[in-house]
Amino acid sequence: MKYNTIIIGGGLAGLTAGATLSKFGKKVLLLEQHHKPGGCATTFKRGDLIIEVGLHEMSGLAENSKLMNLLKMLNVDKNVQFQQVPEFYAVLSDKKDFVFPHGFEAATKALIDRYPEDEKGIKRFIKLIAGVRKEGVSLPRTPLKRKLIYPLMPLLYPNLVEASRHTVGSWLDKYITNENAKLDLVAHIGYWGDDPYTLSMFYYSMPFSGFIENGGHFIKGGSQQLSDHLAAYIEKQGGSVLLGQKAEKIVTENGLP
C-alpha cells in the first residue's frame, strides 16, 4: 500500500495527528468529506466578512507549553500569526457591564471590586481553578503510577480532589452568595457545556484557568489559516489530503483495521 496510516476526518484533531505522524516518517492519507480542511476550524465569507465556523479564540499559547511546542514542531509558528485579544470576555446585562480580564491577579481584583461581599469565595475560586490546572498537567500519565499515588491524592492534589467532587453549579452555590457573581463566572460556559449543574468543576477549571493565565489568542485571517497549514504540511511530508471524500468502509481483521 502507498499509505501506512489512514485518518478519517480532517478536523483539527485529524490534521494535527496526520501532521505529527508525517513529521515522524509515516505515509499519511487523510480523508475529509467537506470541501475544505479544518472541521470547526474553518471559515467562510459573507460579503467582505470572514466568518468563523467555530474556533475563534485559543488558549494555552504560553512559551514552552505543550501546545506551543507542538505548533513549533509543525512549523505553525512560522506560517500562522496569533494575536492576543485584550481580555477574556465581557458580560453585558441590565446591571453594570463586567469585563473579565486576563491574569489571575487582575481577575481576582475585578471580581472583588464588583462583589466585595464574596471576597473570600472569589479568592477560593481563583485558587482552586489555578491549582486544578497546575496539578492537572503534573498528574502522572501511566495507570500504574496513578494507582500507586491514589491513596495520597488528597495530600498531593488537593485541588483536583475538590474539583472532582463538585459540578460548577454545586461549587458556586457552596462558596459564592451573590447570584450575579455566579452568572458572571459562568458566562463563558457555552465553551464547555450548557448546564453548570452537570458540568464537572474539574473539566471547567482546566480550560477556564488556561484562558485567564495565558490569555486568549485569535488566528490572524481566521482559523482556516491554521487548518490549511496543517493540511499542506502533511502533503509536504509526502502524504495526501483528499477533500470531498468519505470513507465508505473500514476493513478489519481480528478487530484491527
Side-chain angles (χ1 to χ4, degrees):
M1 293 179 64
K2 184 177 179 181
Y3 306 101
N4 53 30
T5 302
I6 300 175
I7 297 174
I8 301 172
L12 275 185
L15 288 168
T16 304
T20 303
L21 290 166
S22 297
K23 169 78 175 181
F24 292 99
K26 298 295 184 180
K27 295 300 181 182
V28 172
L29 170 64
L30 186 146
L31 304 175
E32 168 55 47
Q33 64 178 337
H34 194 32
H35 63 84
K36 59 176 67 175
C40 288
T42 55
T43 61
F44 62 93
K45 292 196 72 174
R46 285 291 184 269
D48 294 330
L49 297 177
I50 297 176
I51 310 298
E52 285 286 352
V53 170
L55 178 65
H56 62 275
E57 188 174 304
M58 295 177 63
S59 70
L61 297 181
E63 192 64 30
N64 293 322
S65 67
K66 291 183 178 180
L67 176 58
M68 183 58 75
N69 290 338
L70 174 64
L71 296 178
K72 287 181 177 180
M73 183 184 74
L74 301 176
N75 295 332
V76 173
D77 60 317
K78 298 177 181 177
N79 296 276
V80 179
Q81 296 183 46
F82 297 92
Q83 296 180 320
Q84 187 170 26
V85 297
E87 63 273 322
F88 188 2
Y89 63 81
V91 182
L92 309 182
S93 67
D94 55 355
K95 307 292 183 181
K96 185 179 179 181
D97 295 343
F98 175 67
V99 174
F100 202 117
H102 291 143
F104 289 121
E105 185 176 336
T108 302
K109 183 179 184 304
L111 287 165
I112 292 175
D113 286 349
R114 187 169 172 86
Y115 303 108
E117 70 278 15
D118 271 314
E119 178 176 356
K120 185 177 179 180
I122 289 167
K123 288 182 177 178
R124 186 181 183 109
F125 171 82
I126 295 295
K127 180 177 180 294
L128 175 66
I129 64 172
V132 165
R133 184 168 185 81
K134 183 177 180 180
E135 294 170 7
V137 298
S138 66
L139 197 66
R141 301 300 179 190
T142 63
L144 177 59
K145 288 184 178 180
R146 290 189 181 188
K147 186 175 182 180
L148 290 174
I149 68 167
Y150 185 78
L152 300 175
M153 284 291 289
L155 179 63
L156 298 175
Y157 302 95
N159 294 292
L160 286 180
V161 171
E162 179 179 346
S164 67
R165 292 173 175 171
H166 283 279
T167 65
V168 177
S170 69
W171 193 95
L172 292 177
D173 284 345
K174 184 174 182 178
Y175 295 108
I176 303 294
T177 61
N178 191 306
E179 293 299 316
N180 289 319
K182 297 176 188 179
L183 292 175
D184 283 350
L185 290 172
V186 299
H188 205 248
I189 201 171
Y191 270 63
W192 338 116
D194 59 4
D195 183 352
Y197 291 99
T198 59
L199 179 62
S200 164
M201 189 63 178
F202 165 77
Y203 184 73
Y204 163 87
S205 297
M206 285 290 286
F208 194 92
S209 59
F211 273 107
I212 299 175
E213 182 177 17
N214 303 311
H217 289 77
F218 171 76
I219 300 172
K220 187 175 181 179
S223 61
Q224 193 69 57
Q225 303 294 318
L226 174 59
S227 300
D228 288 346
H229 168 77
L230 292 173
Y233 187 92
I234 293 172
E235 295 184 327
K236 287 179 182 178
Q237 301 296 320
S240 297
V241 177
L242 300 184
L243 303 176
Q245 301 293 328
K246 291 184 178 181
E248 297 180 357
K249 185 179 181 181
I250 300 175
V251 180
T252 62
E253 183 177 345
N254 297 323
L256 298 174

